[in-house]
Amino acid sequence: MTTARDFLKGNEALAYGALRTGLNAFFGYPITPSSEIPETLAVEFGNPQYPAFKVFLQAASEIEAINMVIGAAATGAKVMAATSGPGFSLKQEGISFASGMELPMLIVDVNRGGPGLGNLGPEQTDYFQATKGGGHGGYRNIVLAPSSVPEMASFPALAFSLAFKHRTPVIILTDAFLGQLKEDLMFPEVPALEFDTSWATTGARGPERHVISSMHLDLPELSRHSEHLRSKFEGVDRSEQRSEKFQTDDADVILVAYGICARLCQRAVGTLRAKGVRVGLLRPITLSPFPKGELTAFVERGVQKFLVVELNTGQMIQDVQLATGGRAQVGSLQRVGGLIPSPSEIVHEVEGMVR
Amino acid sequence: MIDIEGHYEVKLGPLPTLTGKPTHYCAGCEHGTLTRLIAVALHEMGVRERTVLVDSVGCSVLAHEYLNVDAIQSPHGRAPAVMTGIKRMHPELLVFAVQGDGDAVSIGLSELIYAANRGEPITVFLVNNGIYGMTGGQMAPTTPEGMVTMTTPHGRDIAITGAPIDASKLLATFEAPAYVKRVFLPVTPTPAPDFYNARGSIEGARSVKNAFRVQEMGGFSFVEFVSTCNVNWKMSILKSKQYAAEVLAKVFPPGLFKDKFGVEKR
């Protein structure tokens, strides 16, 4: 049970956020540091406060879980799975199928350290995997990056809206830090979401029937399907870029960071502003589509310096470089292994850039 | 269908549960037979409007082209998991898949076992022809010892690859499954010229219907059809039927492994 105002871990907040949007089904396999999501949902399963929540099932594997999600999604259900790095890798075949079959679903990846078994600390090393497709066959996901516990609670509603609007999987890419971080939050008032599911496979009514398939053996037919998916994502690119700007209006240097790094950068911006440095922060909320429109606008305004702060060895920086098109200096501050930079390190880095 | 003293007539011609498209199945393949048995059962039970077919990967990947019901594609081997997702959300639906032995017993064995162990009210029809058909004749988990395939050119050596896996026996070891049966599906030649034994089709028709009935009663049902693949076995159709009877059916003898609800007696 939660109250409208509560003090929760990010993972717990995400679970309650999903329930409050009318989540129908959860299929998952436990993996640290995401397990509070299934644990919270298991506790709330059967709670009359969430009448839409019809199915909670722990699968025998990450692979079984994502395929159960596919089945439920094919019936038009609001369905989700949660996992972390190694499990996210195992789910990629299923996500590729879901993308090809245009099935709405929510997959949460609580990014831990990697590659391989890595460790349980926070990283943003799954950025490429989440934003560039991740599985086989060439497709894209919509990827959302919360940066606070309140956003962990509010993003499932956004995720399902986008998933059903564009009929595609949506990934919430968060990290071990935000998943385990406890913060005060107010749950937003979200009406239980209802979407068009007239395409679902729930039995043929009359002569018409629905076939949901990613297979198009005829070459021109698959070509047409792929063109359709491409134009869909071009539309997503145009209409769904989301980001938050913090003190960027007069900034000479703009920090670019998402998730927990954005919180650290926000602190650094405050310190630098007190010292008279004109610095701001662009926080991508959608990592895919990447908010390149904002970055291009900064360059056109004359911003010459950007600093990308991320918990990997250089992933989002490539999208920043693409968006700025070589017309500005793009520095980077990177941490991996589960470590995070301190705000003072970010301050120091920016001071080096403006000196 | 009429069932008089062992004579069993399977309705030919159009059915609302068939699209009417000619199948891509090779001449002599039991997939075509099974498609019709399923279509007849769905039609006679009057369940088309609440049926969902899950396509597996293999020769049955195009089942939705022939069976005129709602359908969704599953990744290779994962049909029981996809079916679970559908059925848990919509218990009123009749959900089934036709899987091959590579799909169900090799890459998808985990999904099959766990769905069976949970007693999911779904139906799996396993077409066991001891080889990868669609992929082009490679060794399957069910390939009999000594059989020459594209990946066992000197015959399957079980010292290297392990012995064939008996899916029906395996599933019958679990408490939950309600109906587990193995049927020999191919028609076989008789000593009389131009007369063939089609007992398998009769048994198959009954078993398909029983499997659906068991699902409607809330149980997990599984029917394994010992079948042929004359093209990848590199045999004539006639020879493949004999091989199925003499070799494959010895490794996988027909039988009723589980019938919790007693549907076979009714």
Side-chain angles (χ1 to χ4, degrees):
Chain A
M1 286 290 281
T2 51
T3 48
R5 182 170 183 176
D6 217 323
F7 180 63
L8 295 172
K9 277 188 176 188
N11 284 340
E12 296 164 343
L14 191 142
Y16 283 110
L19 288 172
R20 283 166 177 257
T21 70
L23 180 75
N24 296 132
F26 178 94
F27 301 95
Y29 185 80
I31 179 168
T32 313
S34 72
S35 298
E36 293 85 357
I37 296 172
E39 287 166 5
T40 303
L41 292 170
V43 167
E44 296 298 347
F45 184 60
N47 180 344
Q49 200 182 334
Y50 309 111
F53 189 31
K54 287 184 185 153
V55 184
F56 174 90
L57 189 57
Q58 180 170 332
S61 70
E62 297 279 0
I63 294 170
E64 190 183 31
I66 186 67
N67 286 286
M68 290 169 168
V69 168
I70 286 176
T75 70
K78 291 188 282 286
V79 56
M80 69 177 280
T83 187
S84 181
F88 192 53
S89 291
L90 285 167
K91 286 186 169 5
Q92 295 304 323
E93 182 199 33
I95 298 172
S96 166
F97 271 74
S99 191
M101 295 193 287
E102 303 193 81
L103 292 175
M105 57 179 62
L106 167 58
I107 313 292
V108 182
D109 177 16
V110 185
N111 202 154
R112 57 190 250 178
L117 207 51
N119 66 24
L120 308 175
E123 277 190 359
Q124 296 178 329
T125 36
D126 298 350
Y127 179 91
F128 279 156
Q129 195 182 21
T131 62
K132 308 303 177 194
H136 64 284
Y139 63 94
R140 296 219 352 238
N141 304 307
I142 294 175
V143 183
L144 305 177
S147 77
S148 66
V149 171
E151 282 192 342
M152 293 285 268
S154 63
F155 276 24
L158 174 61
F160 279 120
S161 296
L162 292 170
F164 278 87
K165 181 178 172 190
H166 299 290
R167 282 191 56 192
T168 194
V170 173
I171 316 289
I172 291 183
L173 181 59
T174 181
D175 61 67
F177 200 118
L178 279 168
Q180 301 301 320
L181 176 69
K182 272 190 120 166
E183 284 188 292
D184 202 16
L185 79 155
M186 293 283 290
F187 279 99
E189 278 303 317
V190 186
L193 302 170
E194 292 300 330
F195 303 106
D196 170 35
T197 57
S198 55
W199 44 266
T201 49
T202 49
R205 305 284 184 264
E208 293 301 311
R209 63 172 182 145
H210 295 142
V211 175
I212 298 178
S213 176
S214 65
M215 187 178 67
H216 305 275
L217 290 178
D218 181 55
L219 275 54
E221 191 188 311
L222 180 59
S223 171
R224 280 194 296 278
H225 180 62
S226 298
E227 284 298 327
H228 159 68
L229 293 179
R230 184 176 75 174
S231 81
K232 179 166 90 173
F233 276 102
E234 282 170 356
V236 168
D237 257 338
R238 281 192 299 274
S239 63
E240 305 295 0
Q241 291 180 26
R242 283 172 168 77
S243 60
E244 187 185 55
K245 289 182 283 190
F246 180 66
Q247 301 200 12
T248 55
D249 285 355
D250 63 342
D252 301 320
V253 182
I254 290 183
L255 300 171
V256 187
Y258 70 93
I260 189 62
C261 287
R263 302 286 290 276
L264 304 169
C265 286
Q266 207 166 337
R267 175 75 70 88
V269 167
T271 308
L272 285 159
R273 284 275 170 181
K275 292 182 175 190
V277 182
R278 287 189 299 191
V279 61
L281 166 67
L282 176 72
R283 174 172 79 89
I285 290 170
T286 52
L287 299 178
S288 168
F290 192 68
K292 44 185 173 278
E294 291 291 357
L295 281 162
T296 311
F298 287 137
V299 174
E300 278 163 8
R301 174 166 73 67
V303 177
Q304 287 292 305
K305 288 172 179 169
F306 294 87
L307 178 68
V308 179
V309 182
E310 54 183 338
L311 303 181
N312 55 50
T313 52
Q315 298 193 16
M316 183 173 70
I317 191 172
Q318 294 191 5
D319 285 325
V320 176
Q321 283 166 335
L322 269 174
T324 54
R327 293 183 291 165
Q329 177 195 340
V330 181
S332 78
L333 178 59
Q334 302 163 354
R335 283 289 180 286
V336 283
L339 303 172
I340 57 166
S342 67
S344 60
E345 284 176 277
I346 300 167
V347 167
H348 183 72
E349 195 74 24
V350 173
E351 283 175 335
M353 287 176 84
V354 295
R355 194 166 292 136
Chain B
M1 258 192 249
I2 312 155
D3 187 1
I4 312 160
E5 295 176 358
H7 294 279
Y8 209 75
E9 186 184 307
V10 175
K11 267 189 203 131
L12 300 177
L15 283 173
T17 46
L18 284 171
T19 60
K21 244 184 214 180
T23 72
H24 71 287
Y25 301 124
C26 309
C29 172
E30 281 73 23
H31 266 291
T33 313
L34 181 57
T35 301
R36 176 156 289 269
L37 298 184
I38 292 169
V40 168
L42 293 174
H43 176 60
E44 291 188 350
M45 292 171 75
V47 291
R48 175 183 172 268
E49 299 210 330
R50 54 181 185 86
T51 295
V52 178
L53 159 72
V54 175
D55 284 328
S56 67
V57 173
C59 292
S60 47
V61 74
L62 289 166
H64 68 269
E65 293 282 324
Y66 319 124
L67 290 166
N68 186 25
V69 292
D70 267 14
I72 172 175
Q73 168 72 65
S74 157
H76 195 15
R78 318 301 176 206
V82 174
M83 287 193 280
T84 299
I86 297 168
K87 188 77 179 191
R88 292 269 175 151
M89 271 311 298
H90 288 273
E92 78 282 6
L93 294 176
L94 184 80
V95 186
F96 76 98
V98 182
Q99 296 189 262
D101 37 314
D103 191 68
V105 189
S106 196
I107 196 167
L109 186 59
S110 173
E111 282 70 23
L112 177 63
I113 283 177
Y114 280 95
N117 189 52
R118 288 190 303 266
E120 294 290 343
I122 57 174
T123 299
V124 173
F125 298 123
L126 170 64
V127 175
N128 177 4
N129 52 21
I131 203 160
Y132 281 79
M134 184 68 108
T135 312
Q138 299 83 5
M139 183 188 75
T142 45
T143 297
E145 183 178 7
M147 189 186 208
V148 172
T149 72
M150 295 300 279
T151 48
T152 55
H154 308 295
R156 180 175 186 172
D157 180 352
I158 63 168
I160 294 169
T161 64
I165 291 180
D166 188 326
S168 290
K169 260 191 190 167
L170 180 63
L171 295 189
T173 63
F174 296 106
E175 173 54 35
Y179 185 70
V180 179
K181 189 176 180 183
R182 183 154 53 216
V183 175
F184 183 83
L185 192 54
V187 292
T188 45
T190 63
D194 299 331
F195 276 83
Y196 293 89
N197 181 346
R199 203 175 292 277
S201 303
I202 299 166
E203 197 58 21
R206 285 203 190 100
S207 306
V208 166
K209 221 168 177 179
N210 281 339
F212 285 147
R213 284 169 63 205
V214 165
Q215 180 181 160
E216 300 276 72
M217 293 158 82
F220 175 88
S221 53
F222 178 86
V223 185
E224 177 179 355
F225 296 96
V226 175
S227 302
T228 67
C229 183
N230 65 78
V231 170
N232 286 304
W233 290 359
K234 299 180 175 35
M235 294 175 191
S236 68
I237 293 174
L238 205 58
K239 185 85 207 335
S240 75
K241 307 296 180 195
Q242 284 165 343
Y243 181 86
E246 287 160 16
V247 179
L248 207 55
K250 297 285 182 293
V251 185
F252 302 105
L256 181 63
F257 296 85
K258 243 183 168 186
D259 183 13
K260 267 187 168 179
F261 304 149
V263 288
E264 288 276 323
K265 292 183 210 97
R266 296 187 198 191

